[in-house]
Each structure stands twice: as C-alpha cells, then as structure tokens.
Amino acid sequence: RAKEAGRGGFCFFAADMNAQALQRLTLENDLRRALENGELEVFYQAQVALADGRLTGAEALVRWRHPEKGLVSPAAFIPVAEETGLIVSLGEQVLRAACRQLATWQRQGLPRLTVAVNLSPRQFRQPDLVDRVAAILAETGADPDWLELEITESAAMQHAEETIGALRRLREMGVSLAIDDFGTGYSSLSYLKRFPIDKLKIDRSFVQGVPGNGDDAAIVQAIIAMARSLGLALLAEGVESEAQRDFLQAQGCAVAQGWLFGQAVPAAAFERDHLARHGA
Ligand code: C2E
Ligand code: MG
Ligand code: MG
Ligand code: MG
C-alpha cells in the first residue's frame, strides 16, 4: 500500500508539474503574441524634488493590456520574459516607446526632465547594447540628455569589466545611469566607485520601514552617506507616506518616487496630472 501511495503521490506531483509547465508555456505564447500585436503599453510614474514637489522625471513602467485578463503587472510576466529571452525585444519596445514619448515632450518645449527606462540583466549582457540604444535614440530623435537607464546592482556586478565599458560608452552618448533597487545586492563602496553611474535608487523595501524601523532607518542613512561621498544623485523608491517623505528629506535625500506623488499612469494621464504644471 505504501508503494501505491508513493506512486499516487508521484502522479499527483507530476500532474502538478505539468499544469505549471503548461501555464508557463501558455504565458510564453501569449507574451509572444502580445509583443507582435502591440499589447504592451508604457506607463509613467512621477519623480519629484522633495523640497518643492517639482517634477524631475518619470520612470517608464511596462504594462500588458491582455485581451482577456485586462491590465497585467510586470511581476506576472517579466520573470518569464527574462527566462525565455523575450525580454530583449520587450525591453526594446519599451525603450523605443519611451524615447518616442520623450521626444514628443521635448518638442512641446517642456523644461528638461529625465525619462528612466529599466534594462534587464539579459538586455544588458547583449554585446551590441550600446549600438542598439544609439539606433533607437537616432530613430526617435530623443535627446540622450533626457534618457536615464536603470540597471540593478546584480546585473551591474556580473562581468564588471564589460559592464564598465558599456556604461562608459552610454554615458559618453549623454545617457545617464541609475542603479535600481539599491541596497538589495551587495556592492561595496570600492566596487561602486569604479562604476560610471549617476544615481542610486534606494529600494522600496527600506523606504517602507522608515522612520519607525531602526534597521531600515540606519540602512537608508548609510546609503545616503555613501551616495554623498561618491558624488552620486539619489532617489528614494516607493514613498507612500508623509512621514517617510519627511524623514528622507531631513536625512538629505532630495528626490523621490512613490504613490504619495502618484502611481504609474498612461502617458495622457501623466501629461494631465504632472506635466500640465511642469515648468508652468
Ligand atoms: P522597479 O523598476 O523597481 O519599479 C518600481 C516598482 O514599484 C513599480 O512596480 C512601481 O509601480 C512600484 N511602486 C512605485 N511606487 C510605489 C509605492 O509607493 N508603493 C508600492 N507598493 N509600489 C510602488 P511595477 O510597475 O509593477 O514594476 C515592477 C518591476 O518590474 C519594476 O521594478 C522593474 O524591475 C520591472 N519592470 C517594469 N517595467 C519594466 C521594463 O520595461 N523592463 C524591465 N526589464 N523591467 C521592468
Ligand atoms: Mg526601475
Ligand atoms: Mg526600482
Ligand atoms: Mg524596486
């Protein structure tokens, strides 16, 4: 009987595995179709100066308008896109759309703002990444001074030598560079110093805990001190409350992004909610 139960257990397990594999395969095929049919849309979230609430930039965040499921968040499909390599063409679609959008904003005569686009580790490892970015800038007429690329700490730390070369060339083109989700990896000060970057984005997981959680407060203070000593700009992610904002500002973090200032919204809503007042 034990044997039977074991087998039964195994069959159950296998069936479960199949269901999971099938679900993944469906998602992969769906995503392939989405990329071909232009179902992906770029939303924008405001980045603001804490001193006066002035808009400094926007982060481009991908959304999937699924024909049946409605709006799907990136957490549900970015990991599969990354595993399957679909992230490369997805990332390029997002970059192209964001550059097209920023070129439009430029032509409207708005004061400079940065548009930040996420680069996945896989995209970042492409040997011709810099040429691809240059081609998209040329094609869309976007000013590289308005473009910021976000890479995660772990993506930057892999293959450090090649990474430094690519970052340097991007920067020479006028593109600025931010380390996303900072604090969740393990960059040392000396390592970070070698990277030609402009900005650290303090991860939301630490911002969430301030001012109440002593450990989070200490980590945020340490990151702020680190950025200051390396001459890097700072942005705090995921600011939801006035208490968080006040703490960050008092500690010397000048710029933030989070629901307190607005969620990621379609370009038209971003224009209405944030750009209408920008520079006016
Ligand atoms: P991320 O780059 O760290 O982006 C910040 C995420 O935090 C966004 O989630 C944003 O909507 C969310 N967020 C912002 N403010 C708040 C807040 O006050 N409270 C809370 N709870 N959340 C806040 P989203 O849009 O779901 O994106 C999740 C992640 O997916 C992004 O994290 C990024 O890693 C990835 N992602 C999004 N778009 C792209 C893309 O075009 N390419 C790549 N490679 N990754 C992307
Ligand atoms: Mg980001
Ligand atoms: Mg982030
Ligand atoms: Mg994050």
Side-chain angles (χ1 to χ4, degrees), residues 59-61 116-119 150-151 180-181 201 237 257:
E59 179 171 3
L61 293 160
V117 177
N118 293 283
L119 272 193
E150 296 189 1
I151 54 169
D180 204 359
D181 304 337
K201 295 189 75 177
E237 295 189 308
Q257 176 182 343

Side-chain angles (χ1 to χ4, degrees), residues 118-129:
N118 293 283
L119 272 193
S120 87
R122 190 124 170 188
Q123 262 181 298
F124 195 67
R125 286 198 302 270
Q126 294 178 102
D128 59 346
L129 171 75

Side-chain angles (χ1 to χ4, degrees), residues 124-253:
F124 195 67
R125 286 198 302 270
Q126 294 178 102
D128 59 346
L129 171 75
V130 180
D131 298 332
R132 284 167 181 263
V133 173
I136 290 173
L137 285 166
E139 168 198 329
T140 56
D143 182 345
D145 278 345
W146 288 42
L147 180 65
E148 180 172 271
L149 295 175
E150 296 189 1
I151 54 169
T152 59
E153 238 177 307
S154 49
M157 297 308 140
Q158 286 169 2
H159 317 287
E161 290 316 316
E162 288 126 81
T163 297
I164 291 171
L167 294 178
R168 205 165 273 146
R169 285 164 63 210
L170 287 167
R171 247 178 145 202
E172 278 162 10
M173 284 164 39
V175 175
S176 60
L177 303 162
I179 301 288
D180 204 359
D181 304 337
F182 189 76
T184 59
Y186 18 57
S187 328
S188 69
L189 199 64
S190 62
Y191 222 66
L192 210 57
K193 202 184 81 180
R194 300 172 48 219
F195 279 78
I197 51 168
D198 302 282
K199 185 186 283 180
L200 299 182
K201 295 189 75 177
I202 307 174
D203 191 61
R204 180 166 69 85
S205 59
F206 308 116
V207 172
Q208 241 172 349
V210 303
N213 182 303
D215 290 340
D216 287 341
I219 290 169
V220 168
Q221 284 166 323
I223 295 174
I224 293 173
M226 199 185 232
R228 191 173 287 154
S229 65
L230 293 174
L232 298 173
L234 267 173
L235 179 147
E237 295 189 308
V239 175
E240 295 180 356
S241 73
E242 286 173 8
Q244 290 167 344
R245 179 196 61 197
D246 295 345
F247 174 86
L248 289 161
Q249 201 184 348
Q251 297 304 319
C253 176

